[in-house]
Amino acid sequence: MISRRAIERDGWRFVVPGLDTPAAREALIGLALEATAGRGQLVRRTLNAATRVVEFADDSGMRCDAFIKVFDSPHGIGALKRKFRGSRALHLARIETELNANGINAPEVLLVATERIGGREMVVTRRAEGLLAARHMGPYRESLARKRAVLHMLGIAVARMHRAGFVHGDLTPFNVVVAPGAPLRIVFIDHERTSRSRSIRWRPRLRNLVQLGHYDVPGLTNMDRMRVWKSYAAEIGASPAVRRRMLAMLAARVKRDGGLAPAHPTPMVTPAKLQEGNARAS
């Protein structure tokens, strides 16, 4: 886990597990403090956090991109959640560190910080190189063979993640990065709600699989979804009987979610299409 000595700067307590050289650490801390003041390129703003991207020099002097996520001070129900659930920043950093330690690709944690008085928190991670999995599935994909290879490896990577005891908090094609080069490497990002357990029941596993199939990615068919699920079942070591049961549970979950979901342009996969895809996917 994160065990480096803490550094105090401008009312913040920093721990920098991802950099060894003092110059690189000091430079990154300076960029992080600028981000807390609203400087830097804003890439995402949610209800309780802002994420900015900056360029920095790592230990080798190579210029890289880093994401700086600053969590707002908790108020009301948010403060109560932090009291019982603990620090969001430390959870995110711990999960990503544990994922990498278990051979599951996740962004490298460079810095974690907490504000002594204001209550804000911060996590800085190295940007995962590559393209979103959704890009490999769409009309701008490199080739059909590449698309199917990505789908196959995605199923294997999710199975390995589950086997290591992790359940992703929001496993969509937009939170999966395909690293450049060969062999294919899947990198899972956005782990604010990812959890780990000694024993994972089927329900959270199925939730992850359903999440992958919920999104209407141009060029992604029901057969493609089944390719992911079949690769998952093979890698997890599911017997034919368990595979049939998993398919039935997936179909029921998708039907239920489709009935509960509000009207939106994203088409849901129907049980009939699941059965069709299972028969036709190779």
Side-chain angles (χ1 to χ4, degrees), residues 202 206 233-234 236-250 275 278:
W202 272 106
L206 290 171
I236 209 73
S239 66
V242 171
R243 292 190 194 192
R244 289 193 294 271
R245 182 186 175 196
M246 186 178 75
L247 175 64
M249 293 175 71
L250 275 168
Q275 297 287 357
N278 185 45

Side-chain angles (χ1 to χ4, degrees), residues 22 24 39 59 75 84 109 111 124 157 160 178 191 200 217 259 263:
R39 292 188 287 272
D59 290 323
H75 298 284
F84 287 99
V109 178
L111 178 154
V124 182
R160 291 174 178 173
V178 182
H191 294 285
I200 306 176
V217 180

Side-chain angles (χ1 to χ4, degrees), residues 34-250:
E34 290 182 3
T36 64
R39 292 188 287 272
Q41 181 184 349
L42 182 67
V43 294
R44 188 181 184 190
R45 174 73 213 186
T46 62
L47 185 63
N48 55 25
T51 303
R52 300 177 188 276
V53 62
V54 298
E55 187 182 70
F56 76 104
D58 63 12
D59 290 323
S60 65
M62 180 180 297
R63 305 300 298 181
C64 308
D65 285 341
F67 286 116
I68 302 176
K69 186 167 189 174
V70 180
F71 295 93
D72 300 334
S73 300
H75 298 284
I77 189 66
L80 188 62
K81 287 181 179 179
R82 180 186 289 191
K83 181 178 180 180
F84 287 99
R85 297 180 183 178
S87 165
R88 293 169 294 177
L90 288 177
H91 171 79
L92 177 58
R94 177 181 61 81
I95 286 291
E96 293 188 340
T97 301
E98 290 181 0
L99 282 165
N100 284 309
N102 282 270
I104 312 300
N105 298 313
E108 177 190 3
V109 178
L110 299 172
L111 178 154
V112 186
T114 55
E115 191 178 28
R116 285 198 172 277
I117 298 178
R120 290 180 296 173
E121 301 173 332
M122 180 196 318
V123 177
V124 182
T125 56
R126 189 187 298 267
R127 183 175 191 169
E129 296 295 329
L131 295 175
L132 293 177
R135 180 69 180 269
H136 288 272
M137 302 170 185
Y140 301 105
R141 64 179 183 268
E142 185 177 323
S143 67
L144 181 60
R146 175 75 173 182
K147 170 188 173 182
R148 290 184 176 178
V150 168
L151 294 170
H152 174 66
M153 185 54 65
L154 179 56
I156 291 174
V158 174
R160 291 174 178 173
M161 178 173 63
H162 286 172
R163 198 160 54 209
F166 297 92
V167 175
H168 199 289
D170 189 22
L171 189 58
T172 75
F174 304 96
N175 282 332
V176 178
V177 173
V178 182
L184 274 174
R185 285 195 314 114
I186 299 295
V187 183
F188 297 106
I189 63 175
D190 195 2
H191 294 285
E192 189 176 336
R193 291 182 290 171
T194 296
S195 60
R196 190 180 190 188
S197 173
R198 290 179 179 271
S199 177
I200 306 176
R201 298 182 181 275
W202 272 106
R203 187 179 299 275
R205 295 186 189 189
L206 290 171
R207 186 182 70 240
N208 273 180
L209 296 174
V210 171
Q211 285 171 335
L212 283 173
H214 265 194
Y215 283 78
D216 182 22
V217 180
L220 183 67
T221 67
N222 289 303
M223 286 188 291
D224 292 332
R225 292 178 172 91
M226 284 309 309
R227 288 187 175 95
V228 175
W229 295 334
K230 288 183 70 177
S231 295
Y232 174 92
E235 180 66 21
I236 209 73
S239 66
V242 171
R243 292 190 194 192
R244 289 193 294 271
R245 182 186 175 196
M246 186 178 75
L247 175 64
M249 293 175 71
L250 275 168

